[in-house]
Amino acid sequence: EISCSLVGSEMCIRDSIWCYYCDREFDDENTLISHQVARHFKCETCGKKLGTFRGLLSHAKTTHNIDMKAFVE
């Protein structure tokens, strides 16, 4: 269950730590970061794990000549 506080009439700010990419909740920020690196910043071509989404984009372009920005926009 998502716990949040209403701000205004349409916005909701969560009181928990959650993954922007898959909406999963976590107990602490370190676990969230580990999850994101393992699940969301992993190269599908070679399996390399990158620390950030920007790092994954750069890796795909320089190592595999794949422009992932076309998939994001």
Side-chain angles (χ1 to χ4, degrees), residues 2-67:
I2 297 172
S3 171
C4 61
S5 305
L6 287 177
V7 177
S9 61
E10 296 181 16
M11 289 186 66
C12 182
I13 299 174
R14 293 180 182 213
D15 296 324
S16 59
I17 299 170
W18 55 280
C19 178
Y20 173 83
Y21 301 99
C22 68
D23 211 34
R24 184 173 167 191
E25 292 189 30
F26 294 90
D27 293 330
D28 59 67
E29 193 170 335
N30 288 335
T31 307
L32 167 64
I33 292 169
S34 296
H35 157 81
Q36 288 178 332
V37 169
R39 301 278 294 195
H40 301 297
F41 306 139
K42 184 177 177 183
C43 177
E44 292 184 10
T45 303
C46 69
K48 182 174 181 170
K49 295 179 182 178
L50 290 301
T52 64
F53 181 68
R54 186 179 298 271
L56 177 59
L57 293 177
S58 177
H59 165 79
K61 180 70 174 169
T62 59
T63 306
H64 307 295
N65 200 27
I66 299 171
D67 187 4

